[in-house]
Amino acid sequence: MKKYLLLSAVFVFGLIFNESRAQNRAITGKVTSATDGSTMPGVNVVLKGTTNGTITDVDGKYTLSVPSEDGSLVFSFVGMTTEEIAIGSRSVIDVVLSEDAEQLEEVVISALGFKEKRDNMSSTYSKIDADKVLQRGENKVIDGIGGKMSGVRISGTTGDPGGGANIQIRGQSTISGETQPLIIVDGVPLNNDYIRGGASGADSDAGVSQQSRLNDINPDDIASFQVFKGASAGALYGSRGINGVIVITTKRGQAGKAKVTYSSGLTVDKISRRHALQSNFGQGNNGGTWSRDAQRSWGDKIADRTGGADDVDDTGEYFVSDTGGEILYPIIGKNSKETYLDSNFDQVFRTAISWDHKLSLSGGNENTNYYFSVGRADQQGIIRNADYEKTNLTVALTQKLTDRLKMDVKSNFITSSSNRMQTGSNTAGVYLGLLRTSPDFDITHYIGDHVSGGGVVTPGRQRSYRRSRANSDNAIYNNPNWTLNEQINTAEVSRFIGSAEFTYSINDNIKLISRSGADYYTDSRIYFFPYYTAGADRRYGLLEDEVINNKEYNTDLLANFNYDITSDISNSTTIGYGLNSRFRKRNLITADNFIANFRDPLDPSEISAQQNVSSSVGRTNRRYTRLYGTTNFDFKEMILLTLGGSFENHSSLADPFFYPSVELGWIFNKSFSLPEWLSFGKARFTYGQVGNAPGAHAEQTVYEVGSFSSFSDGISLADWGGGYQLNENLGNANLKPEVKTEIEYGLDLRFFQNRFKISATRYTNEIADALLQIGLAPSLGYDGIYANGATIENKGFELETGYQIIDNDTWKASVFANYSKNKNMVTDIPGGSVINFAPGSSVQSVAIEGYPMGVFYTQSFLNDENGKHVLDANGFPQVDVSGNQVVGDPNPDWRGGLGFNAGYKGFNFNILFETSQGNDYSERTKFILQFFGTHESVGNEITLTEDLVNYKGDVFTSGTVVRGNVHDWGAGNVLLDEQYYEALQGFGDGKLNGATVVDGSWTRIREASITYTLKKGLPKTIDNIEIGVSGRNLAIWSDIKGNDPDINQFGVGLGQGIDYFSNPGTRSYTFSIKATF
Amino acid sequence: MKMLKHIIIALTLVIMSSCSDWLDVNENPNALTEVPSGELLLKGTLLANTQIHKGHLLRSSMYYTGGLIGLQLVQNTIYIYNFTPGDANSNWTHLYNGILVQNNKIKEISPDLDALEGIIDINAAMALGTATTIWGDIPYTEAIPDNPGLTVKPAYDNQVDVYSDVQDLLDKGITTLQNAATSLSGDGKDADIFYGGDLALWIEAAHTLKARNYLLTKDYAAALTEVVNGISDPANTMAYRPIGSVSGNSNVIFNLVESSRAGDMTANGTFFQDLLDPANANGRNHAKTDETARRNFMYISGDGGSADGIDAADAVMPLVSYEENLLIWAECLVRTGDNLGAIAKLNELRAHLRSGNAFNVVNGGDTFLYDDFVLADFQAAGIENVDAIAEDRAILREIIEERYVSGYTSYMPFNDMRRLKKSDADVIVPFPLNTATATANVERLLYPRSEIDTNPNVPSPLPDIFTVTTVNQ
């Protein structure tokens, strides 16, 4: 790698100092590296204060003519400390350069994939070093970057193995478009789809969480990970850059003997937070009595039961469990004091063990470098039967074909498969069934034969707490064991990513590059709900068999020119032309109402009658061409000006669009003589535009096989033998991209020989012409149109700072911190529409004019004009049923990360804290569980110390022992008992849904690790061995107790901060070993 | 730098020459953007019209005329007079998109429409007539413009003008069909789920529709000139005739009560059921009339599971009926002084009821009796005039009551109540109000939320459900 750097430097610096003048005397010498004593070619040697200079040759030697004995020579090289040596009378000056760790980090990859010195760039980046992207032994790229960068919000929305995570850079920038940043790997876009399950994708509030496709790649292959937050850097990506750009470079072989590394990790995952449940009261709907099959757990006090076996009716129907053959008779009187909270929980959750193995092999010579890696991850989910496995294979080859032509090819093959559990607002979900189950109901016997009083046997019936006799086809809510063991939700992904890059150097100043990539994947999914699954459409079986095919091609032709315009001004210009094509096809076949009680997801037409099998095909086809360029003027490495732009033509756009960018940097410590403790100072300003192209195929008004419904009463052309209807959504042939215009300015400072650094950035951006579905006057004949119209703003401030406390051969210690604040505002929505990102949820997360994106919107307290609750005669709040209110904002006021790294000899210790403050969270699970009476907060008895009334107005005198809580809504204490929780909490409208919204601020130990590297005393073949132990989400401090406050029912996207029986987050511990040979 | 220039020029040429075709992939690959024949759109317009006449708004009107009781959730909210603008969204869209836009497209696709044009005009006129009856002023002349978009806002036409335009449209439809050189194609006939392409039946229905509109605007003499050419036989009734057992092709009321909304509403305990109940002293049964069988046929339990009766999956839902034509005829005769003629028309209807073909007998033992009336029945102390009112008023009262019964699950009861309240309060069907606090009958349904939010031309101030429409003032 270093040799490559050296050689490139030879080119670059060769240009600058390509003339020599007649001089008085010659100085010669040799430059060597302090690291290994090797000679260093390409080192810049210059007489201070002049342009007189040269570079060292391949043997590290140089000769330079200087006019007199005055002055000094400056030796500099990227990544090494700069040495300044007075010439005096010497004629031979040999120099040893040592590595400048600080500077080495500062080589970044530009938006077009070129290496640049960070100091010469004027837009903000956050960069994570390869070895810090993930802790050793882990396998989920996105989660590994959380907390490490300012302005980048990573939310792991589910604890399901391999599940997706939300990446949000500088706030939300779209209402209807893609929400995730563009990911560029080695100059080629990488697909990062997150396609939510159940099949049609319509039920985003439920189904199965899927994974982000970014997590397909092998984290071990990553050489560098950068986030381009600003619009100026993204402008070159035009219509895909609105959410920011992540640039990843992957590893290549290095010249030298073959290097083999093997690493292995063992990860132990546990549930991070549990919803607290009560076990004091039994099943029953109306205070005080046990009631079989009741919905809620407001029944009798379990401690007051007589104990012993329950009374059963063994004269009629009964249930024979498949689980152990037990015969269960209907319970007619509850005597047992046994409760099952823990045993039920343990039947669902486990301590999950995951293995991760990675092997890489690299090496080469001066013409050929190769890199090969293989990775294998076997993960268990904390929910039993949930799993995820992935195999990666990467081959990369760099070949010098001629002196001028270099080829770089890489291919990745990935296969993964998973089985994840139904989650969310879903009667077939695992958590919904578990948490609603009464504490005195044992979920063990969940499937078996129901034998009626008349002797009729129904095999394979589900038994749940609402159907304890399994006497009905309708289980109402799934027994969680049914969800785990009988339902199938598999996703099998095969993916191929290949790229080829050819670089041809016409001369020392001009390079031509051809860069192409292909990214194919097939995601084959099954959603199988056997007979007797809860839910009307699943009761007699439902199978959804879906295949998603995705293809993306990308080709770029680039020309790169490097010239000096004058001796003070150098210029680097790149012109590129690119083509991109994306195609997706989804085939979905659905079969329901199975012919019989089948238990396997066979061919849909095998298990259902023809009229119960349906299919649909969805294709999207998008293409664009880009003509783009960037030109970069460097005045004495002091003033840096970059102009960029992309002229883009997109298949879904009516007209081509131009995205400009300007970046201006001023390294002011080179303009003034500043105190020595200020090592570096740069002021920067950027302006840029990026966009989001409209969705495909929205141009024309299409015909559909329409259906006509006015209220749960639809009739349809499909069922009437076919026919068409022109859609009520009007096509739009005049779509423009949504365009984000951003202005950003900032300051980068480094102090004390670069040991302390601070970088601050302020930005404001406005997204104009945001695309959304806008309501039309239906008397036009069309209800809506997908059109440009909304405006969104983000304003923010970002700070990154780091301090290298100590760095010597024995000790290393550094600390870093980041802070970011983003204020989002939806400033305009045509027609005042409210766009809901949380369909199906009583608490919506919406875009509404005058509020930040994603605010919670629901029915809530009836308040007076001063915002005080209007209380009823009993002192209880009332629901304002006149409409929805904005009741909270899930966007944090600020976020921060604080990391500490320490090393002593072979030991290394890392810890990263992350915090999110001021974000609201909707605890809908807790709210509903209080209604159900299973939540711990409604499971205690209190002795009243004063006379209190309940919601109904019944008076409870002082000294009475009651189940409930005391609360003061503003008119004195009242008793919150079942009456209250039933009347004002529960499902749908007319409830105090706004009360679910609480402060969701959190602080967590995002990750921590200790590693030890052993270098000595090893067999000769082994270079070093590193062993480590690490943890993730080790501690979370938050008022949200029942779940990780990052968990989100709506997964990846714009609907945020809602927990509704969402599968829980995890805490993990990883033990790893890595050996390098 | 010369090289740079060459490269830029070359690249630009490449882009100019090759890319416009390559980018041309935005045509929708999943759905049709053109259909080969206008006839393919016909069926959808008929289903849309079915929803307008048999969907949520109809049921809402039944809550306000003693026909149904909303027990819980939305159905109860509407029942207690909290009808919201959002409740009107769907049916409004069925009119403008479901019918009018499609009709425009049909005309655009199939220039030589001939019979098809007559059919779609009559179908549109039927929906527009109902729409103006429900909402009063509606957009018509500026509706469905050629250049729809965010800035175009159709004006609202006066209700009287809309009725007049609707009659013109019906005349145009009748003329077109009468002069049609050809009928529909085979596929077109299949698509005509109301009449199977029988143009003569469409002409009959158009005349009854014209009569209906004249009646609603109280031009009884004009109505009389239409009924003679109106629907002439029970078999000629225009109806939505369900073909299958899945919800998409079943009876619309069946669909609701079989959905998760089961139990939200019922006809149990309604004024309507009481009126037909032989056990009810205030009912309409007497020596010549036994409504037992019809009452049980016209019962909506609301809980689902109805195998036969008016809410069965396959129960036919009349849109323009033989009964309606006879009853308009009868009313217009009595209003023009021909009492015997009116009774004769009533008896024609009773003969049809008596035939056993008018409704299914739900329970095997259910009885029915519809003996012919004679003039004496309407004279003082006659069985239809025990309170001794004027003879013609007694006849009219029975006609209106019969319209209330025959018109069950249609807008007829709602329209009659509003039409007659001012001019003929003595003969209206005396169904009660739904709440103790209510003081007036509902006079219209609200404009839809979707239109209020997007069209500033919607009448201001917005009328509430008690605001009387122009023709009923």
Side-chain angles (χ1 to χ4, degrees), chain A residues 696-739:
Chain A
H697 316 310
E699 189 179 326
Q700 298 109 347
T701 313
V702 299
Y703 290 91
E704 59 180 345
V705 183
S707 59
F708 306 89
S709 172
S710 52
F711 192 93
S712 297
D713 57 0
I715 47 179
S716 72
L717 279 166
D719 292 318
W720 268 93
Y724 297 95
Q725 177 200 10
L726 191 64
N727 202 291
E728 57 263 22
N729 282 314
L730 193 60
N732 189 342
N734 298 307
L735 291 170
K736 294 180 287 186
E738 32 193 25
V739 173

Side-chain angles (χ1 to χ4, degrees), chain A residues 589-592 604-615:
Chain A
I589 307 172
T590 303
D592 60 6
S605 51
E606 184 83 2
I607 56 180
S608 287
Q610 193 185 346
Q611 68 268 26
N612 295 324
V613 179
S614 63
S615 70

